[in-house]
Amino acid sequence: MSADCIFCKIVTGAIPCNKIYEDDDVIAFHDIKPAASVHFLIVPKLHIESLKDCDASHQALLGKVMLLVPKLAAKQGLAGFKTLINTGREGGQEVFHIHVHVIGGGPRAA
Ligand code: 5GP
Ligand code: ZN
C-alpha cells in the first residue's frame, strides 16, 4: 500500500471503480479512459511500481495475472485482444502501480 497511489486507493475502495473481478491478490476494472470498446486493467493488490521492480518473489503473482487475462477477456466477450504493460515514464507508464491493460472489441462507439 502506497498512500499517494491511485490504484492502491482503488484496491482499498477509497476511490470507486467499475470492477469486473476481485480476489485476495488481484482486482480488475474498466479503464476510466478506454482506448477501445473494451479496455480493462488487471492490477495486483500488492503495490509494485512497475515490471522493472519485479523479482522472483513476484513470479506466482505475475503468472496469476497473466492467466486471468484470457479468462476476463472472454467474460467481456472478446474473442481476441491486445495485452499491454507500460513500464517506466519512457515506456508510457502514468500510474506507477503495475497493471496489465487488456484492450479489444474495436473502436469505441462515439
Ligand atoms: P499506464 O499509462 O500507467 O499504463 O496506464 C494507466 C491507465 O490507468 C490509463 O489508461 C488511465 O486511463 C487509467 N486510469 C488512471 N486513473 C484511473 C482511475 O482513477 N480509474 C480508472 N478506472 N482508470 C484510471
Ligand atoms: Zn499502489
Side-chain angles (χ1 to χ4, degrees):
M1 171 80 190
S2 171
D4 55 0
C5 170
I6 198 156
F7 285 177
C8 282
K9 288 180 180 161
I10 286 177
V11 166
T12 64
I15 291 180
C17 71
N18 191 351
K19 184 166 66 181
I20 61 170
Y21 177 82
E22 183 170 14
D23 65 27
D24 287 348
D25 305 312
V26 175
I27 188 167
F29 49 86
H30 290 287
D31 196 292
I32 205 165
K33 277 198 214 157
S37 57
V38 177
H39 182 178
F40 63 88
L41 306 173
I42 308 180
V43 182
K45 291 185 173 179
L46 182 66
H47 180 85
I48 307 166
E49 285 202 2
S50 82
L51 199 53
K52 289 193 292 187
D53 302 292
C54 291
D55 60 32
S57 73
H58 303 117
Q59 189 164 316
L61 182 60
L62 293 175
K64 181 171 184 173
V65 168
M66 293 314 288
L67 291 174
L68 272 170
V69 170
K71 285 189 186 162
L72 298 183
K75 280 194 180 164
Q76 294 299 311
L78 297 176
F81 47 83
K82 292 180 185 173
T83 308
L84 176 70
I85 304 174
N86 293 325
T87 302
R89 218 169 284 285
E90 299 83 351
Q93 187 174 5
E94 292 178 358
V95 176
F96 287 85
H97 179 138
I98 191 169
H99 53 280
V100 176
H101 295 252
V102 182
I103 300 165
R108 246 173 347 130

XYZ file of all heavy atoms in Angstrom:
851
model
N 0.855 -1.203 0.000
C 0.000 0.000 0.000
C 0.884 1.244 0.000
O 1.794 1.383 0.811
C -0.894 -0.043 1.255
C -1.676 1.239 1.512
S -3.140 1.356 0.484
C -3.649 3.035 0.782
N 0.606 2.122 -0.933
C 1.345 3.378 -1.009
C 0.316 4.504 -0.903
O -0.657 4.533 -1.666
C 2.105 3.443 -2.342
O 2.661 4.710 -2.522
N 0.517 5.415 0.038
C -0.519 6.381 0.420
C -0.997 7.238 -0.744
O -2.183 7.561 -0.834
C 0.000 7.261 1.545
N -0.077 7.599 -1.647
C -0.494 8.513 -2.713
C -0.680 7.806 -4.055
O -0.613 8.433 -5.106
C 0.503 9.674 -2.841
C 1.916 9.165 -3.042
O 2.106 7.931 -3.076
O 2.819 10.009 -3.178
N -0.938 6.499 -4.009
C -1.093 5.722 -5.256
C -2.569 5.532 -5.568
O -3.337 5.008 -4.758
C -0.405 4.369 -5.109
S -0.777 3.232 -6.447
N -2.951 5.942 -6.768
C -4.367 5.896 -7.150
C -4.895 4.457 -7.209
O -6.040 4.195 -6.823
C -4.563 6.654 -8.478
C -6.010 7.021 -8.682
C -4.040 5.909 -9.661
C -6.202 8.195 -9.591
N -4.061 3.515 -7.650
C -4.542 2.130 -7.738
C -4.609 1.484 -6.352
O -5.493 0.653 -6.108
C -3.696 1.308 -8.716
C -3.974 1.633 -10.173
C -3.244 1.020 -11.182
C -4.964 2.532 -10.545
C -3.491 1.308 -12.526
C -5.225 2.834 -11.882
C -4.483 2.221 -12.876
N -3.720 1.869 -5.421
C -3.869 1.399 -4.039
C -5.187 1.910 -3.459
O -5.873 1.191 -2.723
C -2.694 1.857 -3.178
S -1.192 0.874 -3.422
N -5.558 3.134 -3.822
C -6.829 3.689 -3.321
C -8.018 2.955 -3.928
O -9.055 2.785 -3.278
C -6.912 5.188 -3.618
C -5.971 5.985 -2.722
C -6.045 7.469 -3.013
C -5.077 8.216 -2.095
N -4.766 9.543 -2.595
N -7.884 2.515 -5.164
C -8.942 1.698 -5.771
C -9.013 0.343 -5.062
O -10.095 -0.171 -4.772
C -8.717 1.566 -7.293
C -9.072 2.900 -7.977
C -9.552 0.421 -7.877
C -8.827 2.946 -9.469
N -7.838 -0.235 -4.748
C -7.797 -1.519 -4.047
C -8.530 -1.431 -2.707
O -9.313 -2.322 -2.344
C -6.335 -1.992 -3.844
C -6.254 -3.135 -2.836
C -5.708 -2.410 -5.174
N -8.319 -0.331 -1.961
C -8.962 -0.209 -0.633
C -10.422 0.240 -0.737
O -11.142 0.206 0.251
C -8.230 0.822 0.254
O -8.344 2.111 -0.359
C -6.773 0.448 0.460
N -10.830 0.706 -1.917
C -12.194 1.200 -2.075
C -12.323 2.693 -1.823
O -13.421 3.252 -1.903
N -11.199 3.353 -1.510
C -11.235 4.803 -1.256
C -11.615 5.574 -2.522
O -12.207 6.652 -2.437
C -9.885 5.276 -0.723
N -11.230 5.019 -3.676
C -11.651 5.589 -4.973
C -12.484 4.516 -5.668
O -12.070 3.358 -5.734
C -10.434 5.975 -5.838
C -9.704 7.166 -5.212
C -10.823 6.274 -7.280
C -8.482 7.619 -5.984
N -13.668 4.879 -6.163
C -14.520 3.876 -6.807
C -13.991 3.450 -8.166
O -13.215 4.178 -8.804
C -15.860 4.602 -6.962
C -15.539 6.051 -6.937
C -14.274 6.219 -6.142
N -14.400 2.281 -8.608
C -14.049 1.823 -9.955
C -15.184 0.958 -10.477
O -16.047 0.519 -9.711
C -12.737 1.038 -9.942
S -12.893 -0.582 -9.157
N -15.150 0.730 -11.761
C -16.120 -0.164 -12.398
C -15.483 -1.556 -12.435
O -14.858 -1.955 -13.401
C -16.438 0.371 -13.794
C -17.609 -0.329 -14.431
O -18.104 -1.333 -13.906
N -18.045 0.174 -15.567
N -15.665 -2.281 -11.345
C -14.935 -3.534 -11.103
C -15.512 -4.694 -11.907
O -16.724 -4.853 -11.978
C -15.008 -3.848 -9.605
C -14.233 -5.060 -9.169
C -14.075 -5.097 -7.659
C -15.364 -5.283 -6.917
N -15.178 -5.284 -5.458
N -14.634 -5.508 -12.485
C -15.108 -6.713 -13.178
C -14.648 -7.991 -12.497
O -15.177 -9.065 -12.772
C -14.690 -6.729 -14.674
C -13.173 -6.714 -14.825
C -15.308 -5.556 -15.426
C -12.738 -6.980 -16.283
N -13.659 -7.888 -11.595
C -13.137 -9.091 -10.930
C -12.365 -8.678 -9.684
O -11.700 -7.642 -9.682
C -12.199 -9.854 -11.869
C -11.568 -11.066 -11.225
C -12.247 -12.281 -11.143
C -10.292 -10.978 -10.668
C -11.676 -13.381 -10.527
C -9.712 -12.075 -10.042
C -10.417 -13.269 -9.983
O -9.844 -14.355 -9.362
N -12.420 -9.524 -8.652
C -11.575 -9.302 -7.476
C -11.363 -10.619 -6.756
O -12.275 -11.439 -6.640
C -12.249 -8.298 -6.514
C -11.370 -7.988 -5.317
C -11.893 -6.824 -4.466
O -13.066 -6.433 -4.641
O -11.108 -6.323 -3.636
N -10.140 -10.855 -6.295
C -9.875 -11.943 -5.350
C -8.875 -11.414 -4.324
O -8.658 -10.199 -4.240
C -9.416 -13.227 -6.080
C -8.081 -13.082 -6.789
O -7.244 -12.246 -6.362
O -7.837 -13.816 -7.769
N -8.251 -12.300 -3.543
C -7.362 -11.842 -2.466
C -6.141 -11.095 -2.990
O -5.571 -10.258 -2.291
C -6.866 -13.039 -1.637
C -7.954 -13.604 -0.756
O -9.004 -12.943 -0.617
O -7.761 -14.710 -0.223
N -5.735 -11.386 -4.213
C -4.462 -10.871 -4.735
C -4.605 -9.829 -5.831
O -3.643 -9.104 -6.124
C -3.628 -12.028 -5.328
C -3.423 -13.137 -4.330
O -3.046 -12.833 -3.184
O -3.652 -14.319 -4.691
N -5.752 -9.795 -6.480
C -5.896 -9.076 -7.744
C -7.236 -8.369 -7.807
O -8.234 -8.866 -7.278
C -5.814 -10.098 -8.926
C -6.086 -9.428 -10.262
C -4.474 -10.801 -8.945
N -7.234 -7.192 -8.463
C -8.507 -6.541 -8.808
C -8.443 -6.181 -10.295
O -7.356 -5.910 -10.827
C -8.759 -5.305 -7.915
C -10.162 -4.738 -8.118
C -7.707 -4.233 -8.131
C -10.580 -3.727 -7.043
N -9.584 -6.220 -10.964
C -9.640 -5.813 -12.372
C -10.839 -4.888 -12.552
O -11.910 -5.115 -11.964
C -9.766 -7.029 -13.289
N -10.623 -3.831 -13.335
C -11.688 -2.832 -13.519
C -11.525 -2.156 -14.875
O -10.441 -2.165 -15.465
C -11.679 -1.801 -12.380
C -10.321 -1.204 -12.093
C -9.855 -0.107 -12.793
C -9.490 -1.767 -11.125
C -8.607 0.437 -12.536
C -8.235 -1.234 -10.857
C -7.794 -0.128 -11.563
N -12.615 -1.557 -15.333
C -12.589 -0.870 -16.621
C -11.736 0.396 -16.538
O -11.801 1.135 -15.542
C -14.011 -0.519 -17.073
C -14.800 -1.726 -17.471
N -14.567 -2.404 -18.647
C -15.791 -2.393 -16.839
C -15.400 -3.433 -18.728
N -16.149 -3.455 -17.649
N -10.947 0.636 -17.577
C -10.131 1.851 -17.648
C -11.051 3.068 -17.741
O -12.047 3.067 -18.472
C -9.202 1.788 -18.866
C -8.073 2.802 -18.780
O -8.354 4.022 -18.857
O -6.903 2.388 -18.632
N -10.690 4.116 -17.015
C -11.526 5.326 -16.988
C -11.512 6.054 -18.330
O -12.446 6.786 -18.656
C -11.065 6.247 -15.825
C -12.183 7.140 -15.349
C -9.836 7.048 -16.192
C -11.916 7.797 -13.991
N -10.446 5.869 -19.107
C -10.345 6.474 -20.447
C -10.105 5.363 -21.459
O -8.974 5.167 -21.940
C -9.163 7.449 -20.505
C -9.438 8.815 -19.978
C -8.351 9.754 -20.503
C -8.015 10.833 -19.520
N -6.674 11.368 -19.752
N -11.159 4.608 -21.817
C -10.965 3.420 -22.662
C -10.430 3.756 -24.050
O -10.885 4.700 -24.687
C -12.364 2.801 -22.735
C -13.303 3.890 -22.341
C -12.559 4.823 -21.445
N -9.467 2.966 -24.503
C -8.874 3.149 -25.825
C -9.620 2.337 -26.881
O -9.336 2.440 -28.064
C -7.410 2.724 -25.784
N -10.573 1.533 -26.471
C -11.364 0.701 -27.391
C -12.678 0.383 -26.684
O -12.895 0.812 -25.543
C -10.602 -0.581 -27.720
N -13.544 -0.372 -27.353
C -14.867 -0.600 -26.747
C -14.757 -1.440 -25.474
O -15.603 -1.323 -24.585
C -15.841 -1.208 -27.750
O -15.337 -2.397 -28.253
N -13.733 -2.278 -25.379
C -13.432 -2.957 -24.119
C -11.991 -2.627 -23.747
O -11.068 -2.810 -24.560
C -13.606 -4.488 -24.224
C -13.204 -5.154 -22.904
C -15.035 -4.847 -24.607
N -11.792 -2.086 -22.577
C -10.441 -1.746 -22.101
C -10.467 -1.836 -20.585
O -11.030 -0.986 -19.912
C -10.068 -0.334 -22.562
C -8.670 0.081 -22.167
N -8.141 1.306 -22.526
C -7.696 -0.538 -21.444
C -6.905 1.410 -22.055
N -6.621 0.309 -21.378
N -9.872 -2.913 -20.086
C -9.824 -3.038 -18.624
C -8.390 -3.258 -18.162
O -7.486 -3.541 -18.963
C -10.789 -4.133 -18.128
C -10.497 -5.528 -18.584
C -9.640 -6.352 -17.870
C -11.099 -6.037 -19.728
C -9.390 -7.646 -18.286
C -10.853 -7.334 -20.162
C -9.992 -8.141 -19.429
N -8.200 -3.090 -16.866
C -6.880 -3.185 -16.249
C -6.915 -4.305 -15.219
O -7.889 -4.421 -14.460
C -6.522 -1.873 -15.553
C -6.607 -0.608 -16.410
C -6.396 0.634 -15.539
C -5.578 -0.647 -17.533
N -5.873 -5.116 -15.207
C -5.718 -6.128 -14.152
C -4.576 -5.661 -13.265
O -3.466 -5.404 -13.750
C -5.439 -7.529 -14.731
C -6.485 -7.908 -15.780
C -5.413 -8.561 -13.613
C -6.283 -9.289 -16.398
N -4.860 -5.531 -11.989
C -3.945 -4.879 -11.053
C -3.693 -5.790 -9.848
O -4.642 -6.109 -9.117
C -4.566 -3.547 -10.568
C -3.627 -2.826 -9.623
C -4.955 -2.651 -11.745
N -2.457 -6.201 -9.622
C -2.173 -6.910 -8.367
C -2.424 -5.968 -7.194
O -2.136 -4.772 -7.293
C -0.671 -7.241 -8.451
C -0.262 -6.988 -9.851
C -1.238 -6.008 -10.426
N -2.956 -6.475 -6.100
C -3.227 -5.599 -4.949
C -1.935 -5.106 -4.303
O -1.891 -4.012 -3.743
C -4.113 -6.330 -3.936
C -5.527 -6.538 -4.459
C -6.441 -7.140 -3.411
C -7.876 -7.162 -3.932
N -8.815 -7.747 -2.964
N -0.890 -5.917 -4.393
C 0.409 -5.521 -3.848
C 0.950 -4.322 -4.627
O 0.940 -4.330 -5.866
C 1.374 -6.714 -3.984
C 2.776 -6.532 -3.425
C 2.735 -6.394 -1.906
C 3.650 -7.715 -3.834
N 1.409 -3.306 -3.907
C 1.960 -2.133 -4.589
C 3.372 -2.439 -5.085
O 4.329 -2.430 -4.324
C 1.979 -0.907 -3.676
C 2.546 0.301 -4.361
N 1.783 1.137 -5.152
C 3.810 0.784 -4.431
C 2.555 2.093 -5.650
N 3.798 1.895 -5.227
N 3.472 -2.706 -6.386
C 4.759 -2.848 -7.077
C 4.753 -1.745 -8.120
O 3.778 -1.617 -8.877
C 4.887 -4.209 -7.784
C 4.608 -5.378 -6.829
C 6.264 -4.345 -8.429
C 4.397 -6.712 -7.550
N 5.802 -0.946 -8.173
C 5.749 0.216 -9.063
C 5.656 -0.152 -10.540
O 4.889 0.457 -11.290
C 6.961 1.124 -8.822
C 6.831 1.909 -7.538
C 7.682 3.165 -7.506
O 8.364 3.469 -8.505
O 7.659 3.844 -6.477
N 6.454 -1.108 -10.967
C 6.453 -1.442 -12.403
C 7.057 -2.820 -12.600
O 7.556 -3.449 -11.656
C 7.271 -0.409 -13.188
O 8.646 -0.708 -13.106
N 7.045 -3.268 -13.860
C 7.643 -4.568 -14.189
C 9.133 -4.586 -13.847
O 9.691 -5.630 -13.526
C 7.427 -4.833 -15.682
C 7.556 -6.261 -16.201
C 6.690 -7.248 -15.424
C 7.215 -6.319 -17.683
N 9.753 -3.412 -13.886
C 11.189 -3.332 -13.558
C 11.451 -3.624 -12.087
O 12.589 -3.892 -11.710
C 11.728 -1.921 -13.864
C 11.832 -1.599 -15.326
C 12.652 -0.350 -15.567
C 11.957 0.896 -15.066
N 12.686 2.126 -15.449
N 10.417 -3.525 -11.262
C 10.580 -3.712 -9.824
C 10.189 -5.116 -9.371
O 10.131 -5.390 -8.178
C 9.746 -2.658 -9.079
C 10.172 -1.265 -9.483
O 11.298 -0.885 -9.131
O 9.409 -0.581 -10.196
N 9.912 -5.984 -10.345
C 9.534 -7.358 -10.007
C 10.766 -8.241 -9.861
O 11.779 -8.027 -10.533
C 8.628 -7.932 -11.104
S 7.011 -7.151 -11.134
N 10.652 -9.220 -8.991
C 11.711 -10.212 -8.853
C 11.063 -11.583 -8.685
O 9.845 -11.726 -8.840
C 12.648 -9.852 -7.693
C 11.923 -9.784 -6.359
O 10.945 -10.539 -6.157
O 12.326 -8.964 -5.514
N 11.885 -12.578 -8.361
C 11.383 -13.955 -8.304
C 10.261 -14.120 -7.279
O 9.408 -15.003 -7.436
C 12.536 -14.911 -7.998
N 10.225 -13.262 -6.270
C 9.163 -13.373 -5.256
C 7.794 -13.025 -5.840
O 6.762 -13.334 -5.229
C 9.473 -12.481 -4.053
O 9.271 -11.122 -4.385
N 7.776 -12.373 -6.995
C 6.517 -11.973 -7.626
C 6.075 -12.924 -8.745
O 5.085 -12.670 -9.422
C 6.651 -10.553 -8.200
C 7.050 -9.537 -7.193
N 8.229 -8.829 -7.265
C 6.432 -9.125 -6.060
C 8.313 -8.003 -6.230
N 7.245 -8.178 -5.483
N 6.838 -13.998 -8.927
C 6.591 -14.885 -10.076
C 5.168 -15.449 -10.082
O 4.480 -15.415 -11.110
C 7.617 -16.020 -10.048
C 7.608 -16.874 -11.302
C 8.876 -17.702 -11.386
O 9.969 -17.201 -11.135
N 8.730 -18.957 -11.734
N 4.726 -15.956 -8.929
C 3.394 -16.566 -8.887
C 2.306 -15.513 -9.126
O 1.322 -15.770 -9.831
C 3.181 -17.251 -7.541
N 2.495 -14.335 -8.550
C 1.517 -13.263 -8.708
C 1.414 -12.826 -10.177
O 0.316 -12.663 -10.715
C 1.914 -12.080 -7.820
C 0.998 -10.865 -7.807
C -0.409 -11.237 -7.335
C 1.572 -9.769 -6.911
N 2.569 -12.669 -10.817
C 2.561 -12.276 -12.236
C 1.926 -13.362 -13.090
O 1.172 -13.070 -14.029
C 3.984 -11.980 -12.720
C 4.662 -10.756 -12.103
C 6.098 -10.661 -12.576
C 3.907 -9.489 -12.448
N 2.220 -14.615 -12.763
C 1.612 -15.726 -13.506
C 0.103 -15.723 -13.339
O -0.643 -15.923 -14.299
N -0.347 -15.460 -12.124
C -1.787 -15.403 -11.866
C -2.450 -14.309 -12.699
O -3.494 -14.513 -13.318
C -2.014 -15.145 -10.371
C -3.452 -15.079 -9.968
C -3.589 -15.044 -8.457
C -5.058 -15.083 -8.080
N -5.250 -15.219 -6.625
N -1.808 -13.138 -12.746
C -2.355 -12.026 -13.531
C -2.435 -12.420 -15.004
O -3.465 -12.208 -15.659
C -1.494 -10.753 -13.335
C -1.851 -9.692 -14.356
C -1.675 -10.212 -11.920
N -1.377 -13.007 -15.523
C -1.379 -13.342 -16.956
C -2.442 -14.388 -17.284
O -3.079 -14.322 -18.331
C 0.012 -13.840 -17.397
C 1.094 -12.779 -17.355
S 0.605 -11.187 -18.078
C 0.575 -11.620 -19.802
N -2.648 -15.345 -16.389
C -3.661 -16.372 -16.652
C -5.076 -15.812 -16.529
O -6.016 -16.359 -17.111
C -3.465 -17.567 -15.721
C -2.196 -18.380 -16.012
C -2.008 -19.463 -14.958
C -2.242 -18.996 -17.402
N -5.217 -14.710 -15.790
C -6.534 -14.064 -15.700
C -6.881 -13.318 -16.987
O -8.059 -13.108 -17.283
C -6.556 -13.065 -14.532
C -6.947 -13.616 -13.177
C -6.674 -12.565 -12.106
C -8.425 -14.012 -13.162
N -5.848 -12.914 -17.744
C -6.103 -12.110 -18.950
C -7.124 -12.789 -19.868
O -8.180 -12.207 -20.162
C -4.796 -11.771 -19.698
C -5.099 -11.149 -21.050
C -3.906 -10.850 -18.867
N -6.880 -14.011 -20.351
C -7.858 -14.602 -21.278
C -9.192 -14.912 -20.623
O -10.243 -14.834 -21.276
C -7.163 -15.872 -21.775
C -6.133 -16.182 -20.737
C -5.697 -14.869 -20.166
N -9.175 -15.246 -19.338
C -10.446 -15.559 -18.654
C -11.334 -14.328 -18.589
O -12.529 -14.385 -18.899
C -10.171 -16.049 -17.224
C -9.638 -17.453 -17.163
C -9.612 -17.935 -15.722
C -8.938 -19.304 -15.668
N -8.493 -19.661 -14.336
N -10.749 -13.202 -18.150
C -11.558 -11.983 -18.024
C -11.918 -11.428 -19.400
O -13.013 -10.893 -19.586
C -10.819 -10.946 -17.181
C -10.536 -11.375 -15.732
C -9.867 -10.239 -14.961
C -11.808 -11.821 -15.021
N -11.001 -11.571 -20.362
C -11.310 -11.123 -21.734
C -12.515 -11.890 -22.279
O -13.421 -11.296 -22.875
C -10.092 -11.305 -22.630
N -12.535 -13.191 -22.052
C -13.673 -13.993 -22.537
C -14.965 -13.540 -21.856
O -16.013 -13.428 -22.497
C -13.408 -15.471 -22.270
N -14.892 -13.252 -20.558
C -16.097 -12.776 -19.845
C -16.587 -11.442 -20.386
O -17.769 -11.116 -20.283
C -15.808 -12.629 -18.347
C -15.872 -13.928 -17.607
C -15.924 -13.698 -16.103
C -15.982 -15.037 -15.376
N -15.658 -14.903 -13.955
N -15.658 -10.652 -20.943
C -16.039 -9.366 -21.547
C -16.458 -9.542 -23.002
O -16.673 -8.563 -23.718
C -14.876 -8.369 -21.454
C -14.526 -7.957 -20.027
C -15.669 -7.279 -19.307
O -16.287 -6.368 -19.836
N -15.975 -7.735 -18.106
N -16.496 -10.780 -23.473
C -16.976 -11.063 -24.826
C -15.927 -10.927 -25.904
O -16.260 -10.862 -27.094
N -14.659 -10.894 -25.517
C -13.593 -10.710 -26.511
C -13.092 -12.055 -27.022
O -12.664 -12.906 -26.240
C -12.424 -9.935 -25.880
C -12.727 -8.521 -25.405
C -11.489 -7.930 -24.726
C -13.158 -7.643 -26.573
N -13.099 -12.203 -28.339
C -12.530 -13.409 -28.940
C -11.017 -13.259 -29.072
O -10.278 -14.251 -29.136
C -13.171 -13.661 -30.306
N -10.555 -12.033 -29.149
C -9.129 -11.723 -29.217
C -8.905 -10.367 -28.576
O -9.860 -9.604 -28.378
N -7.667 -10.072 -28.264
C -7.414 -8.831 -27.511
C -5.936 -8.496 -27.569
O -5.103 -9.327 -27.911
C -7.846 -9.019 -26.047
C -7.347 -10.296 -25.444
C -6.072 -10.384 -24.914
C -8.144 -11.443 -25.462
C -5.602 -11.567 -24.390
C -7.672 -12.635 -24.941
C -6.402 -12.693 -24.409
N -5.628 -7.245 -27.214
C -4.240 -6.815 -27.034
C -3.950 -6.760 -25.546
O -4.820 -6.390 -24.754
C -4.019 -5.426 -27.633
C -4.110 -5.409 -29.131
C -3.896 -4.020 -29.674
C -4.122 -4.035 -31.168
N -4.091 -2.688 -31.743
N -2.725 -7.088 -25.192
C -2.290 -7.058 -23.794
C -1.069 -6.157 -23.714
O -0.139 -6.316 -24.501
C -1.941 -8.484 -23.322
O -3.036 -9.352 -23.612
C -1.652 -8.517 -21.835
N -1.111 -5.199 -22.805
C -0.069 -4.160 -22.781
C 0.367 -3.886 -21.337
O -0.464 -3.734 -20.448
C -0.665 -2.882 -23.393
C 0.177 -1.624 -23.405
C 1.334 -1.771 -24.392
C -0.678 -0.424 -23.783
N 1.668 -3.829 -21.146
C 2.214 -3.401 -19.851
C 3.185 -2.262 -20.127
O 4.279 -2.480 -20.662
C 2.952 -4.546 -19.123
C 2.058 -5.772 -18.929
C 3.478 -4.050 -17.764
C 2.777 -6.985 -18.340
N 2.770 -1.041 -19.826
C 3.674 0.103 -19.970
C 4.628 0.110 -18.779
O 4.194 -0.055 -17.635
C 2.879 1.407 -20.011
C 2.027 1.524 -21.258
O 2.424 1.077 -22.322
N 0.850 2.107 -21.125
N 5.894 0.318 -19.067
C 6.905 0.245 -17.996
C 7.825 1.459 -18.034
O 8.525 1.682 -19.031
C 7.728 -1.056 -18.119
O 6.836 -2.175 -18.064
C 8.744 -1.163 -16.989
N 7.781 2.237 -16.968
C 8.619 3.431 -16.863
C 8.008 4.596 -17.626
O 7.220 4.408 -18.564
N 8.368 5.809 -17.208
C 7.832 7.005 -17.866
C 8.114 6.967 -19.367
O 7.251 7.290 -20.188
C 8.457 8.259 -17.244
C 7.499 9.414 -17.096
C 8.068 10.525 -16.236
N 8.051 10.238 -14.807
C 6.964 10.261 -14.039
N 5.786 10.561 -14.557
N 7.026 9.986 -12.766
N 9.317 6.514 -19.711
C 9.700 6.456 -21.136
C 8.916 5.374 -21.876
O 8.866 5.371 -23.100
C 11.204 6.176 -21.270
C 12.101 7.224 -20.640
C 12.314 7.042 -19.141
O 11.628 6.196 -18.519
O 13.165 7.762 -18.598
N 8.320 4.455 -21.136
C 7.505 3.396 -21.740
C 6.025 3.725 -21.715
O 5.192 2.855 -22.005
N 5.710 4.969 -21.371
C 4.307 5.397 -21.399
C 3.549 5.126 -20.115
O 2.337 5.315 -20.063
N 4.250 4.681 -19.062
C 3.549 4.406 -17.802
C 3.186 5.716 -17.108
O 4.032 6.611 -16.978
C 4.443 3.554 -16.879
C 3.724 3.096 -15.627
C 4.562 2.122 -14.785
O 5.717 1.854 -15.098
N 3.965 1.609 -13.728
N 1.929 5.815 -16.693
C 1.450 7.014 -15.994
C 1.088 6.720 -14.547
O 1.195 7.606 -13.697
C 0.234 7.590 -16.725
C 0.599 8.170 -18.082
C -0.602 8.693 -18.844
O -1.740 8.586 -18.343
O -0.391 9.209 -19.960
N 0.624 5.511 -14.295
C 0.289 5.114 -12.923
C 1.346 4.102 -12.480
O 1.464 3.019 -13.072
C -1.129 4.514 -12.837
C -1.409 4.030 -11.421
C -2.180 5.533 -13.271
N 2.082 4.465 -11.424
C 3.230 3.656 -11.020
C 2.840 2.627 -9.963
O 3.364 2.586 -8.858
C 4.392 4.571 -10.607
C 4.999 5.212 -11.827
C 4.461 6.381 -12.354
C 6.040 4.604 -12.500
C 4.965 6.947 -13.517
C 6.560 5.164 -13.661
C 6.023 6.331 -14.173
N 1.885 1.804 -10.379
C 1.467 0.593 -9.668
C 1.204 -0.393 -10.801
O 0.314 -0.155 -11.634
C 0.216 0.892 -8.824
C -0.331 -0.272 -8.064
N -0.782 -0.171 -6.761
C -0.543 -1.572 -8.428
C -1.229 -1.354 -6.357
N -1.092 -2.219 -7.364
N 1.974 -1.449 -10.828
C 1.979 -2.344 -12.002
C 0.557 -2.783 -12.385
O -0.274 -3.079 -11.523
C 2.903 -3.562 -11.742
C 3.147 -4.351 -13.029
C 2.362 -4.448 -10.635
C 4.253 -5.397 -12.895
N 0.308 -2.803 -13.679
C -1.005 -3.211 -14.184
C -0.871 -3.672 -15.625
O 0.018 -3.244 -16.345
C -2.017 -2.066 -14.093
C -1.552 -0.801 -14.744
N -0.678 0.070 -14.113
C -1.807 -0.264 -15.965
C -0.429 1.090 -14.923
N -1.098 0.909 -16.062
N -1.805 -4.539 -16.016
C -1.874 -5.050 -17.375
C -3.122 -4.481 -18.034
O -4.228 -4.594 -17.492
C -1.942 -6.594 -17.381
C -2.101 -7.125 -18.792
C -0.704 -7.188 -16.725
N -2.939 -3.838 -19.193
C -4.085 -3.383 -19.979
C -4.574 -4.549 -20.847
O -3.752 -5.247 -21.458
C -3.681 -2.271 -20.957
C -3.237 -1.003 -20.328
N -4.002 0.136 -20.341
C -2.084 -0.675 -19.692
C -3.345 1.125 -19.749
N -2.173 0.662 -19.347
N -5.875 -4.721 -20.943
C -6.469 -5.667 -21.891
C -7.449 -4.867 -22.741
O -8.372 -4.223 -22.218
C -7.173 -6.836 -21.180
C -7.724 -7.825 -22.199
C -6.218 -7.536 -20.209
N -7.195 -4.893 -24.047
C -7.890 -3.981 -24.969
C -8.432 -4.778 -26.144
O -7.710 -5.576 -26.747
C -6.894 -2.914 -25.486
C -6.316 -2.102 -24.312
C -7.554 -1.991 -26.508
C -5.083 -1.297 -24.677
N -9.702 -4.553 -26.482
C -10.259 -5.263 -27.637
C -11.648 -4.767 -27.976
O -12.153 -3.807 -27.398
N -12.220 -5.430 -28.941
C -13.603 -5.121 -29.304
C -13.754 -4.002 -30.302
O -14.873 -3.557 -30.564
N -12.624 -3.518 -30.851
C -12.708 -2.486 -31.876
C -12.903 -1.108 -31.282
O -12.965 -0.935 -30.065
N -13.002 -0.102 -32.185
C -13.096 1.285 -31.721
C -14.328 1.503 -30.851
O -15.346 0.836 -31.026
C -13.197 2.094 -33.014
C -12.789 1.176 -34.107
C -13.017 -0.233 -33.631
N -14.220 2.462 -29.966
C -15.329 2.841 -29.119
C -16.433 3.488 -29.937
O -16.142 4.242 -30.857
C -14.844 3.879 -28.099
C -14.876 3.372 -26.715
C -14.248 4.302 -25.730
N -13.444 5.403 -26.220
C -13.605 6.660 -25.810
N -14.582 6.978 -25.002
N -12.807 7.604 -26.240
N -17.675 3.235 -29.566
C -18.779 3.967 -30.189
C -18.668 5.433 -29.782
O -18.321 5.716 -28.639
C -20.107 3.381 -29.711
N -18.963 6.329 -30.712
C -18.796 7.769 -30.417
C -19.823 8.248 -29.401
O -20.869 7.658 -29.236
C -18.921 8.574 -31.699
P -0.428 3.489 -17.833
O -0.141 4.578 -18.812
O 0.143 3.786 -16.471
O -0.057 2.127 -18.350
O -1.989 3.434 -17.723
C -2.740 3.950 -16.664
C -4.184 3.784 -17.048
O -4.965 3.987 -15.880
C -4.667 4.789 -18.097
O -5.186 4.078 -19.227
C -5.735 5.586 -17.367
O -6.831 5.924 -18.186
C -6.138 4.663 -16.237
N -6.579 5.352 -15.034
C -5.952 6.394 -14.415
N -6.632 6.765 -13.321
C -7.711 5.934 -13.248
C -8.800 5.839 -12.322
O -8.920 6.585 -11.342
N -9.733 4.883 -12.571
C -9.634 4.036 -13.634
N -10.593 3.120 -13.777
N -8.618 4.099 -14.525
C -7.674 5.042 -14.331
Zn -0.229 1.281 -5.440
